[in-house]
Amino acid sequence: MILRIRSRDGTDRITVPDSASATVADLQRLIESHLTVPVPLQRLSLDPALLLPNPSAAVPLLANPAAPLASLRLANGAFVYLAYPPDARSARPPPPKALSAAGFFGKKMTMDDLIARQIRVTRQENALCAAASFDRDAANAFQLYVAESLAFAVKRAGFLYGRVDAETKEVFVDFIYEPPQQGSEDVVHLTRDPEEEARVDTIAEGLGMRRVGLVFTQAVGRKASETGEYTMSNREVVQAVQLQAEGGIPEWVTAIVKLEVGDDGTGDVHFEAFQMSEICVKLFKDGVLETEVQDADDPRLSKMRKEVVAGGKDTMEVDNDFFLVPVKISDHQGPLSVGFPIENRGSPVGMSALRSHLERMKHLAFVRRISDFHLLLKLATFLDVKADMPTIAACVKTQSRVPEGYQFLIESFASQG
C-alpha cells in the first residue's frame, strides 16, 4: 500500500510492504527512514488541521504505536498528515568550509559566499494573516452558484472585500465581487473591467472596506497529477501570487472552495484559506517564478527560471505546498445582506431587478433595503461614482437615513424597470 505523507514541507510517498499487519509504529519507522524525521518528533493524524500553524488540541493523533494500520481503514493513496518541529529532518553532512574557484581570476570563495548567492525556498511557519472570517451569506451565495448552476464543472473566482483588524491581523470578508471571467476545468481567466473595479473600490471605501483577497473554486474534473492529489496547481499558484502581490497588504488571503466526494458518493462543499508565502511573492516579483505554464507540466510543481534550493536540494521545480501557508477560517454575520442579483453571471441585471428588490424589502427602512453590495454596484452605473456613491455608501455603513433626494432618485429609476 502506498501512503502519501503530507507535511508542511510538501508531500512524500511511502510504500508500506505488508499493510495487512503493519502498525502505526511500522509507519513511523518508515517515515524516519525515508524522510529522516526521528520517531519521537513525529506527530501523525488523518486530519489536515494538524498542519495549521497552531492546531487545536482537539485534532486526533495516531498516538497508539501498536494500532494496526488496517484498523484505520486507509486506502491505497490515502493521506496521512505529519507534523514535526522546524529543522527536525536530519541535515546532510556539511560541505567543506571553503573552496577555491578555479578560473575565477584566482579569487577564493567561501561556502558562506556561495550560500548567500543561493535562493533558498523554505516553508513559512506562520501566516501574516491570523485568521479569515467569511460573511455567511456572501460565502453561501458564491458556493451555491458554483454548486447549483455550474455543478463544479468549471472554475469560478471572486475578489474578497472586507476589513483587517489592525491589532489581531484577522481578515473579515463582508462581500465578494465577481469580475467578468471565463472558466474551464483547470483555468479561470479574469477579463477584468477597470471601470467596474473602480466603482467597486469606491463603494468599498465608502463602506470602510477594501480588497483583502481572492476566492476561487476547483472543478471536479480538473487536471490530475500522475502522482496524486494536490492542494493548488501551478497555474493557481501563479494567479494567486500575482494577485497577492497586487493586493498590497500583508494580510491578503486566498480561499479555495471545492467539492469533496465521500466514499458513499455524497458531496460536501469545503472552504480552505491560505496565504502565499513571502518567498513565493519575492520569487514572483524578482522574475524567478515561471509564469507561463504548459499543459504538459506537472500541476503539483511550480517551475523556476533559475535554480533554487528547496528541501535541501538544488532544483528547477518546487512542490507547490512549499508556498502555501494555512490560515484559520471561520464565519460571521456581516453588515450587508445578499439578496440582489450578482453581477457578471451571464444575464445582465436590469432595472426590473432593482424594482423587485425594493418592493420585496419594502417593510424595512430604506437604508436597510439598499444595504447590499451588489445593489450598490448597480446603482453606481447610473449615479455619479465620485459624488453620489460615497454619500450613499456612508449611509449604509452607519445605517443612517438616506437623503430624500437620493431615495426619490433611486425609486424613480427602479420604477422604469
mmCIF file of all heavy atoms in Angstrom, residues 166-191:
data_model
loop_
_atom_site.group_PDB
_atom_site.id
_atom_site.type_symbol
_atom_site.label_atom_id
_atom_site.label_comp_id
_atom_site.label_asym_id
_atom_site.label_seq_id
_atom_site.Cartn_x
_atom_site.Cartn_y
_atom_site.Cartn_z
ATOM 1 N N ALA A 166 -6.498 45.745 12.772
ATOM 2 C CA ALA A 166 -5.106 46.181 12.878
ATOM 3 C C ALA A 166 -4.368 45.537 14.037
ATOM 4 O O ALA A 166 -3.146 45.352 13.981
ATOM 5 C CB ALA A 166 -5.050 47.710 13.013
ATOM 6 N N GLU A 167 -5.085 45.183 15.101
ATOM 7 C CA GLU A 167 -4.436 44.599 16.269
ATOM 8 C C GLU A 167 -4.272 43.098 16.147
ATOM 9 O O GLU A 167 -3.193 42.555 16.398
ATOM 10 C CB GLU A 167 -5.238 44.943 17.527
ATOM 11 C CG GLU A 167 -5.229 46.430 17.882
ATOM 12 C CD GLU A 167 -5.931 46.703 19.200
ATOM 13 O OE1 GLU A 167 -6.380 45.727 19.853
ATOM 14 O OE2 GLU A 167 -6.025 47.881 19.577
ATOM 15 N N THR A 168 -5.325 42.405 15.764
ATOM 16 C CA THR A 168 -5.274 40.939 15.719
ATOM 17 C C THR A 168 -4.783 40.392 14.387
ATOM 18 O O THR A 168 -4.449 39.212 14.290
ATOM 19 C CB THR A 168 -6.659 40.346 16.001
ATOM 20 O OG1 THR A 168 -7.559 40.716 14.928
ATOM 21 C CG2 THR A 168 -7.212 40.872 17.320
ATOM 22 N N LYS A 169 -4.777 41.243 13.346
ATOM 23 C CA LYS A 169 -4.398 40.824 11.995
ATOM 24 C C LYS A 169 -5.383 39.808 11.408
ATOM 25 O O LYS A 169 -5.037 39.026 10.523
ATOM 26 C CB LYS A 169 -2.972 40.248 11.965
ATOM 27 C CG LYS A 169 -1.911 41.207 12.494
ATOM 28 C CD LYS A 169 -1.895 42.507 11.704
ATOM 29 C CE LYS A 169 -0.837 43.464 12.219
ATOM 30 N NZ LYS A 169 -0.871 44.773 11.517
ATOM 31 N N GLU A 170 -6.607 39.834 11.907
ATOM 32 C CA GLU A 170 -7.653 38.994 11.338
ATOM 33 C C GLU A 170 -8.320 39.716 10.167
ATOM 34 O O GLU A 170 -8.494 40.937 10.191
ATOM 35 C CB GLU A 170 -8.708 38.669 12.392
ATOM 36 C CG GLU A 170 -8.230 37.768 13.506
ATOM 37 C CD GLU A 170 -9.331 37.500 14.515
ATOM 38 O OE1 GLU A 170 -10.091 36.535 14.313
ATOM 39 O OE2 GLU A 170 -9.440 38.264 15.491
ATOM 40 N N VAL A 171 -8.705 38.940 9.157
ATOM 41 C CA VAL A 171 -9.407 39.477 7.991
ATOM 42 C C VAL A 171 -10.874 39.087 8.085
ATOM 43 O O VAL A 171 -11.196 37.923 8.336
ATOM 44 C CB VAL A 171 -8.791 38.930 6.688
ATOM 45 C CG1 VAL A 171 -9.683 39.229 5.497
ATOM 46 C CG2 VAL A 171 -7.403 39.525 6.465
ATOM 47 N N PHE A 172 -11.753 40.064 7.885
ATOM 48 C CA PHE A 172 -13.192 39.819 7.879
ATOM 49 C C PHE A 172 -13.714 40.121 6.473
ATOM 50 O O PHE A 172 -13.688 41.271 6.029
ATOM 51 C CB PHE A 172 -13.899 40.693 8.923
ATOM 52 C CG PHE A 172 -13.537 40.353 10.334
ATOM 53 C CD1 PHE A 172 -12.445 40.945 10.946
ATOM 54 C CD2 PHE A 172 -14.274 39.417 11.050
ATOM 55 C CE1 PHE A 172 -12.087 40.624 12.251
ATOM 56 C CE2 PHE A 172 -13.934 39.081 12.347
ATOM 57 C CZ PHE A 172 -12.834 39.689 12.944
ATOM 58 N N VAL A 173 -14.157 39.082 5.791
ATOM 59 C CA VAL A 173 -14.668 39.224 4.419
ATOM 60 C C VAL A 173 -16.164 39.481 4.498
ATOM 61 O O VAL A 173 -16.919 38.638 4.989
ATOM 62 C CB VAL A 173 -14.378 37.957 3.599
ATOM 63 C CG1 VAL A 173 -14.982 38.086 2.206
ATOM 64 C CG2 VAL A 173 -12.874 37.691 3.527
ATOM 65 N N ASP A 174 -16.609 40.649 3.975
ATOM 66 C CA ASP A 174 -18.023 41.030 4.075
ATOM 67 C C ASP A 174 -18.773 40.952 2.747
ATOM 68 O O ASP A 174 -19.999 40.898 2.739
ATOM 69 C CB ASP A 174 -18.146 42.435 4.671
ATOM 70 C CG ASP A 174 -17.772 42.462 6.145
ATOM 71 O OD1 ASP A 174 -18.097 41.493 6.847
ATOM 72 O OD2 ASP A 174 -17.140 43.432 6.591
ATOM 73 N N PHE A 175 -18.070 40.989 1.618
ATOM 74 C CA PHE A 175 -18.750 40.744 0.335
ATOM 75 C C PHE A 175 -17.745 40.230 -0.676
ATOM 76 O O PHE A 175 -16.522 40.376 -0.510
ATOM 77 C CB PHE A 175 -19.500 41.979 -0.175
ATOM 78 C CG PHE A 175 -18.646 43.124 -0.657
ATOM 79 C CD1 PHE A 175 -18.119 43.150 -1.947
ATOM 80 C CD2 PHE A 175 -18.413 44.232 0.157
ATOM 81 C CE1 PHE A 175 -17.377 44.216 -2.414
ATOM 82 C CE2 PHE A 175 -17.673 45.314 -0.293
ATOM 83 C CZ PHE A 175 -17.145 45.303 -1.577
ATOM 84 N N ILE A 176 -18.255 39.591 -1.711
ATOM 85 C CA ILE A 176 -17.441 39.027 -2.784
ATOM 86 C C ILE A 176 -17.867 39.659 -4.098
ATOM 87 O O ILE A 176 -19.050 39.612 -4.461
ATOM 88 C CB ILE A 176 -17.604 37.498 -2.867
ATOM 89 C CG1 ILE A 176 -17.180 36.844 -1.541
ATOM 90 C CG2 ILE A 176 -16.789 36.926 -4.022
ATOM 91 C CD1 ILE A 176 -17.465 35.341 -1.476
ATOM 92 N N TYR A 177 -16.919 40.250 -4.804
ATOM 93 C CA TYR A 177 -17.176 40.817 -6.135
ATOM 94 C C TYR A 177 -16.679 39.826 -7.175
ATOM 95 O O TYR A 177 -15.524 39.395 -7.134
ATOM 96 C CB TYR A 177 -16.474 42.163 -6.281
ATOM 97 C CG TYR A 177 -16.262 42.589 -7.726
ATOM 98 C CD1 TYR A 177 -17.349 42.857 -8.558
ATOM 99 C CD2 TYR A 177 -14.973 42.692 -8.251
ATOM 100 C CE1 TYR A 177 -17.165 43.229 -9.883
ATOM 101 C CE2 TYR A 177 -14.780 43.078 -9.572
ATOM 102 C CZ TYR A 177 -15.874 43.339 -10.388
ATOM 103 O OH TYR A 177 -15.683 43.706 -11.705
ATOM 104 N N GLU A 178 -17.551 39.462 -8.106
ATOM 105 C CA GLU A 178 -17.195 38.513 -9.157
ATOM 106 C C GLU A 178 -16.959 39.264 -10.462
ATOM 107 O O GLU A 178 -17.906 39.713 -11.103
ATOM 108 C CB GLU A 178 -18.311 37.471 -9.317
ATOM 109 C CG GLU A 178 -18.556 36.664 -8.049
ATOM 110 C CD GLU A 178 -19.709 35.672 -8.167
ATOM 111 O OE1 GLU A 178 -20.034 35.293 -9.321
ATOM 112 O OE2 GLU A 178 -20.286 35.291 -7.127
ATOM 113 N N PRO A 179 -15.699 39.430 -10.863
ATOM 114 C CA PRO A 179 -15.403 40.166 -12.100
ATOM 115 C C PRO A 179 -15.801 39.364 -13.331
ATOM 116 O O PRO A 179 -16.068 38.153 -13.237
ATOM 117 C CB PRO A 179 -13.886 40.359 -12.028
ATOM 118 C CG PRO A 179 -13.401 39.198 -11.222
ATOM 119 C CD PRO A 179 -14.484 38.923 -10.211
ATOM 120 N N PRO A 180 -15.859 40.001 -14.501
ATOM 121 C CA PRO A 180 -16.099 39.245 -15.741
ATOM 122 C C PRO A 180 -15.025 38.172 -15.888
ATOM 123 O O PRO A 180 -13.843 38.429 -15.627
ATOM 124 C CB PRO A 180 -15.979 40.315 -16.838
ATOM 125 C CG PRO A 180 -16.219 41.615 -16.139
ATOM 126 C CD PRO A 180 -15.698 41.445 -14.756
ATOM 127 N N GLN A 181 -15.419 36.983 -16.310
ATOM 128 C CA GLN A 181 -14.461 35.876 -16.347
ATOM 129 C C GLN A 181 -14.944 34.765 -17.252
ATOM 130 O O GLN A 181 -16.123 34.690 -17.605
ATOM 131 C CB GLN A 181 -14.230 35.328 -14.943
ATOM 132 C CG GLN A 181 -15.497 34.835 -14.242
ATOM 133 C CD GLN A 181 -15.277 34.611 -12.755
ATOM 134 O OE1 GLN A 181 -14.827 33.552 -12.350
ATOM 135 N NE2 GLN A 181 -15.586 35.627 -11.944
ATOM 136 N N GLN A 182 -13.997 33.899 -17.596
ATOM 137 C CA GLN A 182 -14.299 32.713 -18.385
ATOM 138 C C GLN A 182 -13.568 31.544 -17.750
ATOM 139 O O GLN A 182 -12.341 31.556 -17.635
ATOM 140 C CB GLN A 182 -13.839 32.891 -19.839
ATOM 141 C CG GLN A 182 -14.232 31.756 -20.763
ATOM 142 C CD GLN A 182 -15.742 31.647 -20.943
ATOM 143 O OE1 GLN A 182 -16.421 32.648 -21.121
ATOM 144 N NE2 GLN A 182 -16.259 30.426 -20.915
ATOM 145 N N GLY A 183 -14.318 30.537 -17.302
ATOM 146 C CA GLY A 183 -13.703 29.434 -16.589
ATOM 147 C C GLY A 183 -13.734 28.129 -17.353
ATOM 148 O O GLY A 183 -14.644 27.873 -18.144
ATOM 149 N N SER A 184 -12.718 27.311 -17.112
ATOM 150 C CA SER A 184 -12.684 25.939 -17.627
ATOM 151 C C SER A 184 -12.395 25.027 -16.437
ATOM 152 O O SER A 184 -12.402 25.464 -15.288
ATOM 153 C CB SER A 184 -11.599 25.798 -18.698
ATOM 154 O OG SER A 184 -10.315 25.962 -18.123
ATOM 155 N N GLU A 185 -12.104 23.759 -16.692
ATOM 156 C CA GLU A 185 -11.830 22.844 -15.587
ATOM 157 C C GLU A 185 -10.574 23.229 -14.817
ATOM 158 O O GLU A 185 -10.502 23.063 -13.600
ATOM 159 C CB GLU A 185 -11.688 21.413 -16.110
ATOM 160 C CG GLU A 185 -12.996 20.788 -16.572
ATOM 161 C CD GLU A 185 -12.816 19.347 -17.015
ATOM 162 O OE1 GLU A 185 -11.635 18.926 -17.159
ATOM 163 O OE2 GLU A 185 -13.813 18.648 -17.214
ATOM 164 N N ASP A 186 -9.569 23.754 -15.530
ATOM 165 C CA ASP A 186 -8.271 23.994 -14.895
ATOM 166 C C ASP A 186 -7.898 25.465 -14.758
ATOM 167 O O ASP A 186 -6.978 25.793 -14.004
ATOM 168 C CB ASP A 186 -7.159 23.285 -15.681
ATOM 169 C CG ASP A 186 -7.333 21.773 -15.680
ATOM 170 O OD1 ASP A 186 -7.422 21.203 -14.584
ATOM 171 O OD2 ASP A 186 -7.393 21.177 -16.761
ATOM 172 N N VAL A 187 -8.590 26.347 -15.495
ATOM 173 C CA VAL A 187 -8.179 27.755 -15.527
ATOM 174 C C VAL A 187 -9.411 28.650 -15.443
ATOM 175 O O VAL A 187 -10.462 28.333 -15.991
ATOM 176 C CB VAL A 187 -7.415 28.079 -16.836
ATOM 177 C CG1 VAL A 187 -6.911 29.520 -16.823
ATOM 178 C CG2 VAL A 187 -6.262 27.125 -17.055
ATOM 179 N N VAL A 188 -9.266 29.781 -14.734
ATOM 180 C CA VAL A 188 -10.278 30.822 -14.803
ATOM 181 C C VAL A 188 -9.580 32.104 -15.253
ATOM 182 O O VAL A 188 -8.653 32.581 -14.600
ATOM 183 C CB VAL A 188 -11.010 31.016 -13.447
ATOM 184 C CG1 VAL A 188 -10.052 31.349 -12.310
ATOM 185 C CG2 VAL A 188 -12.091 32.085 -13.575
ATOM 186 N N HIS A 189 -9.984 32.607 -16.403
ATOM 187 C CA HIS A 189 -9.420 33.842 -16.953
ATOM 188 C C HIS A 189 -10.283 35.011 -16.497
ATOM 189 O O HIS A 189 -11.481 35.067 -16.804
ATOM 190 C CB HIS A 189 -9.379 33.784 -18.481
ATOM 191 C CG HIS A 189 -8.451 32.742 -19.034
ATOM 192 N ND1 HIS A 189 -7.072 32.883 -18.993
ATOM 193 C CD2 HIS A 189 -8.692 31.552 -19.634
ATOM 194 C CE1 HIS A 189 -6.507 31.817 -19.550
ATOM 195 N NE2 HIS A 189 -7.467 30.995 -19.947
ATOM 196 N N LEU A 190 -9.676 35.942 -15.773
ATOM 197 C CA LEU A 190 -10.389 37.130 -15.323
ATOM 198 C C LEU A 190 -10.241 38.217 -16.377
ATOM 199 O O LEU A 190 -9.154 38.756 -16.585
ATOM 200 C CB LEU A 190 -9.827 37.614 -13.981
ATOM 201 C CG LEU A 190 -9.837 36.588 -12.834
ATOM 202 C CD1 LEU A 190 -9.263 37.208 -11.572
ATOM 203 C CD2 LEU A 190 -11.250 36.063 -12.585
ATOM 204 N N THR A 191 -11.335 38.521 -17.079
ATOM 205 C CA THR A 191 -11.326 39.599 -18.072
ATOM 206 C C THR A 191 -11.726 40.879 -17.354
ATOM 207 O O THR A 191 -12.870 41.326 -17.430
ATOM 208 C CB THR A 191 -12.280 39.277 -19.239
ATOM 209 O OG1 THR A 191 -13.594 38.970 -18.703
ATOM 210 C CG2 THR A 191 -11.793 38.075 -20.009
#
